[in-house]
Amino acid sequence: MGYNIAIDGPAGAGKSTIAKMVAKKLNFIYVDTGAMYRAIALYLLRDGVDTANEAAVSEAVKNADITIRYQDGAQQVILNGEDVSGLIRTEEVGNTASASVYPAVRAHLLELQRSLAASQNVIMDGRDIGTCILPDAQAKIYLTASSRVRALRRYKELTEKGTMCNLEEIEQDIIERDHRDMTREIAPLKQAEDAVLLDSSEMTIDQVVQAIIDTAKAHGLKEEA
Ligand code: DC
């Protein structure tokens, strides 16, 4: 088995930015599970499936084949043969993903996620990695930040891309997504009992990266020779 680092936390906590940096420093593979849910959400949006209709979503997901490919170290998500990595990075797709996490959708992705972690060193991020997907991960991190700080980060990201947006609306969206992710019946977002809590509100990116590497070392990760 590889060495597995699981990172869970709410939307906008910086999981993917941080996990990518940790992966680079440790020479691990970064697995972004949210991207898989987003690819399914894109399929549902294109197919016009109502996400409130669990039966329809469960049926539709059978036709969404998701695979992962790595190019120059970056993860690409392939939906029925099409690289959708760029298309899934919208608020609409993120919200649709959050609204369509039914048991059939999770089951559809479980094997892919576990198999990626089984044979190699990975840092995997999501909502239920430490609690459900990789319960035996050697290091588990619960990464969070206040909703205001997360909204400000997203606001900055969007305005830098030239997207018009409103800070209050973004924060409201984050609060709603937190609520949905944390209160859902199936595999809700919560800190695993053996996870280390990191609140990044007042931390720099480098401090968070270092804290995760230190946690992994404290949990048996050997330094590269
Ligand atoms: O991390 P993200 O914003 O790309 O994830 C999009 C949505 O997908 C998130 O709001 C909830 C869902 N998700 C999940 O239920 N379990 C995961 N492991 C990853 C994402």
Side-chain angles (χ1 to χ4, degrees), residues 68-145:
I68 293 299
R69 198 164 70 191
Y70 287 89
Q71 194 151 33
D72 302 325
Q75 173 183 297
Q76 294 182 335
V77 192
I78 314 298
L79 167 64
N80 293 332
E82 176 191 358
D83 178 6
V84 295
S85 314
L87 297 173
I88 57 175
R89 296 290 152 206
T90 67
E91 296 301 301
E92 184 191 24
V93 172
N95 286 325
T96 305
S98 161
S100 53
V101 188
Y102 295 113
V105 174
R106 296 192 67 253
H108 192 69
L109 296 174
L110 181 79
E111 205 180 313
L112 172 62
Q113 294 169 354
R114 286 206 176 137
S115 66
L116 286 165
S119 55
Q120 53 193 352
N121 292 340
V122 300
I123 177 161
M124 185 179 289
D125 77 354
R127 302 293 187 287
D128 55 357
I129 309 306
T131 49
C132 299
I133 306 297
L134 305 177
D136 297 327
Q138 290 89 338
K140 296 182 186 177
I141 312 290
Y142 189 84
L143 183 63
T144 189

Side-chain angles (χ1 to χ4, degrees), residues 17-43:
T17 306
I18 301 286
K20 270 182 212 160
M21 292 175 73
V22 173
K24 205 162 182 194
K25 284 205 166 190
L26 296 178
N27 202 18
F28 273 36
I29 302 276
Y30 166 52
V31 182
D32 172 2
T33 64
M36 302 175 191
Y37 286 92
R38 283 171 181 261
I40 287 182
L42 180 66
Y43 181 86

Side-chain angles (χ1 to χ4, degrees), residues 44-65:
L44 299 173
L45 283 167
R46 282 176 170 176
D47 214 34
V49 178
D50 174 11
T51 54
N53 184 340
E54 180 174 351
V57 170
S58 305
E59 193 52 37
V61 78
K62 292 181 192 162
N63 301 317
D65 181 46

